[in-house]
Structure formats: structure tokens, C-alpha cells
Amino acid sequence: MESNVRVRFAPSPTGPLHIGGVRTALYNYLFAKKHNGTFVLRIEDTDQTRYVANAEQYIIDALAWCNIPFDEGPGRNEKLGPYRQSERKEIYKKHATLLVETGWAYYAFDTSKQLDAERKGHEAKGKNFIYNWHNREKGRLVNSLVLSDEEVETKMKAGENYVIRFKTPQDEILRMEDEIRGNITIDTNTLDDKILFKGDGMPTYHLANIVDDHLMEISHVIRGEEWLPSMPLHILLYKAFGWDAPKFAHLPLILKPIGKGKLSKRDGDKLGFPVFPLAYKNEISGDLSRGYKEEGYFADGFINMLAFLGWNPGNEQELFSLEELTNSFELKRVSKSGAKFSPEKASWFNQQYMQTKENSELTDLFIPILEEKGIYQTNDFILKVVSSIKERAIFIKDFWELSSFFFENPQEYDAKASKKNWKEGTPELMNDLIGLLETIQNFSSENTEKEIKKWITDKEIGFGKVMQPLRLSLVGALKGPHLFDIIEMIGKEATIKRLENAITKL
Ligand code: GLU
């Protein structure tokens, strides 16, 4: 049964979604699912100057790739919608006006020039200008608290630009509770009268955000730490409207790998890792940002890694399926301090998830890479290759590097290894080995191993003398899985051919 838990992810469509945003979405999703609740996507697109047309679709695609779908949102289950703030303008206007009527807000006509002069005047006296009870009714500021109703009306009729400001209460100690940070108190005298509604007919973030959270029946606001300073105003706004406030939880920042400062796109560019889930092309500059998906990360591993950036289960377990994350997730286990991002850990998760994938799934991902190289092999063959190399692979794109010798003769031979292992007498020895191989009918891994080892023992020479040049001839380097498995896979003809090649080339 559905519960009353309703959470929302409320991004502004100003560009691609940073992984910090994805983590906020993930924690909201986990919290909702854990409590049989609803996960809402709301697009906060009231700031027209920062609006980017393809960003909303990017957000939707990113959530889909991460497999954390929203239950309600644009185009989906719109029962308390619309879920795009630009489609709710009238609602905000109505609510802003209501606050003016109840005395919780007022009209302000101050021009930016006037406000600038105020600021400078304060600075000259070594003071900080705050638009609030300190000076809102002193007569220097132009607002409906000091103007008569007629004056206000005249200004409006004349088309003077105005905003609606919140009338922050004076001399109150506000006590608030955050699910992660505990009790917070603030003196309302330090808060300024924030703008709620702008002259262009658009609400500011604060008004739209809390009106929507109320109308969309949001029970828990789970969002980034950068919104913590807005919490007092939001709590006061709920009070002003006479509404119950939701519970709040402010998530810690995701920090740069050095552990200081917020992780930025620039860090990713500099250190060579993506900070976005999907690649993104900036339509204006043409810049392309890399994405986890395109770089070959598995979505489930990526999500597992993100979950651990700020949360821990309280035990040693690190690998969690989405379902396990859902069951284990608790806000009280989210840390207050920033979480250091580690690109190495992101790779580690991918490697771990690689091992949990079915060989057939990995085979399907490897086939297009092979086909691009003009290599066609049976699925069965590729599947065997995959099972022998996946342990050492972090990404699918590593497969070729780890397995090319299964598909083609070595193009070159590792110089250092050749120098060390291809010695006087080696060509003759390899020639003799070819003679032996020609007599072997059963080319299974076990049988060739048995026959070749017996041959070496009979000859009373060291194993390395044969095995190293043989590996070098077949692989081109001293790497790769069990040598006799390679022999079985490539077969008699190719094994002999590669030995002949090495004899002529080395
Ligand atoms: N639109 C805000 C953002 O972009 C939402 C903040 C909130 O969740 O209240 O992060």
C-alpha cells in the first residue's frame, strides 16, 4: 500500500545534471521506495535567464539510465501537476498576493540604483545592509509598508517595477530540525526580507518551492547542503501560510578527490573522469562533457558508488543492489560532513560489478567492438574469451586489449620480454615443439598441457625455457590467461603458425 511519504527531486534545468544532483535524486528515490512512498520529479524552471532547452530531457534520461524512475512528474501520473513550474505561474501569483493581504509580505519599488546606494552608504559606515526590520520602515526604502495604499496603487498603475518581499518577523529565535543535522536555531533578526515574487510575473525559487512542496503534499524535503541557508525562510513561509512544514534533510557536499572544495566539472576534466551521468553537448558552445554511461560504467555499479558518497550501511558490506540499498537506506546514516569523491573507487565498483554480470550479457557488449574491427566469431567462442578475461577487466573497452590474441596473430612482440626469453637455441627448440604439436590430435587444454609438459620433462630442460617463448609467440607478450586454454581456443593450425611467425620474426 502507498504510504504518505512523498519526496521530490526538484532540479533546475540549467544544464547537465551533476553527480551530486544524481545522488540527491537517488537518496530521494531510496527513501521513497523504502517507505512505500512516492518519488516526484519537479522541474524548477522559473529562472528564465538560466533555462536550457535540452536540460529537462537530459534529467529524465539520466534518471532512466540510473534505473531510478520517478512516479509522478512531467508527462507521468500528473495527479498533482503540472510538475513544471513555468506552467504554474498563476498559482504563485495568487499565493504571493495572499501573503501581502495577510501582512506577511509587502510590495517594494526600490530600484537597483537605490539599493546600491543603500549598500554603499552602509559600507561607508562599516556596516552590512540587510533589507529587513532594521531599515524597511525608516522611509528611505520605497515599499508598501511606508507608502499609503493610494501611493502604491499609483505606482502600480504607472507601471513601476516592483517585487514582493517577505516580511521576516523580528526578534524571534527560530528552532528547526534537520533529519541529518539535528537541531538548528537562528535569530530571525539576521535574515533579510527575501524577494518572493518578481516584477516579471515570476516567483523566486523560495516561494515556488514551498508552495509546490505543500500543494504536491511533500512529506520530506531531501536536498543538497547548499539549500540549508534557505531553510529558515522556508519554515517561516510555511508558518505564514498556516501550513505544516515537511521534514527537512540536507545532504553533505560531494568533495574533490583531494577532500577540499566542492567537486566540479573542472576537476573531472583535469583528472580525467566524468562528473555527469550521461555525456552532454552544450548547444551554444558546442562543448562536449563526458558521461559515466558513455565511458563504459555500469549503471548499477555507478549507483552503488554514488550511494556511498555520504551514506554508509554501518557494516563492512560495500556491494549493494538497488533493492538492497532501498532496504538499508536510512537518513540517520547520512553523514553531516562532505564526502570525498574517488575516481579509483568508481573504477573499483565497476570492476566488481563486471564480475557479477552474466557472461552472455558481456558477450553481447563485446560483439560490436569486435565487429568494428572486422572480427566475426561464434558467440560460443566469444563467451569463452569473456569468461577467461573478465576478472582482469574494469570496463568492456578493456576487453580487446586483454584478449586480442584470441582473435588475431600477434602484431608485434614485447621487446623487453623478447630480449630476456628469446635466446640462442630458442628457434630450434620451438621448431622441435612444432614437430611435437603436429603429432597431437586432441588439442584440448588438458591434453596439450600434459603432452607438452611431458615433452619438456623428457628433454630434461627447464619449463621456462619453453613456456616463456611459447607464450611470447602466441600472445606477443608475457601476459594473458592460462596458456593451454589459449592453445585450445586458437587451435592447432594457429598455434603452429604463430610459432613459425615468431621463429622468422624474432
Ligand atoms: N531547484 C533547486 C535546485 O536546483 C531545488 C532545491 C530544493 O530541492 O529545494 O537544486
Side-chain angles (χ1 to χ4, degrees), residues 8 10-12 42 44 205 209 213 221-224 226-227 234:
R8 85 304 192 270
S12 300
R42 181 172 74 230
E44 301 209 327
Y205 153 74
N209 188 269
D213 281 347
V221 169
I222 304 170
R223 62 184 174 193
E226 63 272 32
W227 302 105
H234 294 188

Side-chain angles (χ1 to χ4, degrees), residues 122 128-138 140-141 170 188-191 193:
H122 275 73
N128 214 352
F129 169 64
I130 314 183
Y131 202 131
N132 68 2
W133 62 275
H134 281 105
N135 40 43
R136 68 184 162 215
E137 284 167 76
K138 297 231 168 97
R140 283 200 312 276
L141 299 172
Q170 190 180 339
T188 58
N189 288 350
T190 62
L191 303 173
D193 290 354

